[in-house]
Amino acid sequence: VLRQPKAYVGSSPTTNGYIVAADGSLQLGTLGLTELKLTEAEEKVLSEPVSPDLVLWKPSRKDGPADIPYLPHPVYTRWFNRAFGRTGWNLVPVGKPIKDEHNVVLIPYILHIHQHPVAFAWGEQEYFPQKADGSSNRAQTYGDVIESTVASALRRCAKHLGIGLEMWDRAWLR
């Protein structure tokens, strides 16, 4: 059963069907997310437990121990592909990139499943335009940073749908 989004109110310009302020930011009260009834097969795939073999670990601080668990982007992409098919889902940016005072780039995304907006998340990634010695960081372009925001937004949307919740379950991680 699909519920239609509420009508948008306001005179702001739209992007991808969502109301955007003059500064390019997404107006969060106008997302129009819908309820989507999943098939039994889709539910079965989305309910699959995380395989411990897929969990990677990264340090929370430079030269620290690997203490933050995560699933890499391809794991979530394959999960969504198995559930909805390669073209049955899409993560759509709904605003312009924003770079904060700490060089973190943020982009709002909405996850569409079977053409229906079902989840919202911010994608974020640190941007290091220069190395510590002041030289240009050719290993990380601004385009690379933009692409990396997709991974964090996808992970957050997956969490919203209950995919990979073990990653936030300390007892399971132990």
Side-chain angles (χ1 to χ4, degrees):
V1 174
L2 294 174
R3 293 192 182 147
Q4 294 299 322
K6 295 180 182 176
Y8 298 122
V9 178
S11 58
S12 299
T14 63
T15 299
N16 295 332
Y18 304 102
I19 296 181
V20 177
D23 67 357
S25 64
L26 179 67
Q27 300 301 292
L28 296 180
T30 63
L31 291 177
L33 300 180
T34 60
E35 178 182 350
L36 178 65
K37 182 70 175 163
L38 301 172
T39 67
E40 279 188 45
E42 291 168 337
E43 285 283 3
K44 183 177 179 182
V45 171
L46 297 180
S47 298
E48 292 173 358
V50 171
S51 167
D53 296 335
L54 297 175
V55 178
L56 300 180
W57 295 81
K58 63 183 176 183
S60 58
R61 62 183 193 284
K62 187 175 180 177
D63 301 323
D67 57 352
I68 298 176
Y70 72 99
L71 292 174
H73 180 265
V75 171
Y76 289 106
T77 299
R78 288 184 192 112
W79 216 324
F80 277 89
N81 285 347
R82 281 194 323 275
F84 309 114
R86 289 185 189 271
T87 60
W89 68 280
N90 195 10
L91 195 60
V92 180
V94 290
K96 295 179 182 178
I98 301 165
K99 188 169 72 164
D100 72 10
E101 67 275 4
H102 303 290
N103 266 357
V104 174
V105 175
L106 300 138
I107 301 176
Y109 289 89
I110 291 184
L111 174 66
H112 290 252
I113 296 175
H114 302 307
Q115 301 179 3
H116 299 281
V118 296
F120 168 83
W122 284 94
E124 66 179 297
Q125 178 64 40
E126 281 187 276
Y127 177 44
F128 300 100
Q130 296 180 333
K131 296 180 183 177
D133 65 6
S135 64
S136 177
N137 184 2
R138 293 186 180 164
Q140 184 193 46
T141 68
Y142 194 70
D144 294 334
V145 172
I146 297 298
E147 181 64 24
S148 293
T149 65
V150 174
S152 66
L154 183 60
R155 181 179 63 251
R156 289 172 175 157
C157 286
K159 180 180 173 184
H160 174 79
L161 294 177
I163 299 170
L165 290 181
E166 292 89 342
M167 304 312 299
W168 287 270
D169 182 343
R170 291 292 168 198
W172 185 88
L173 290 168
R174 278 192 293 277

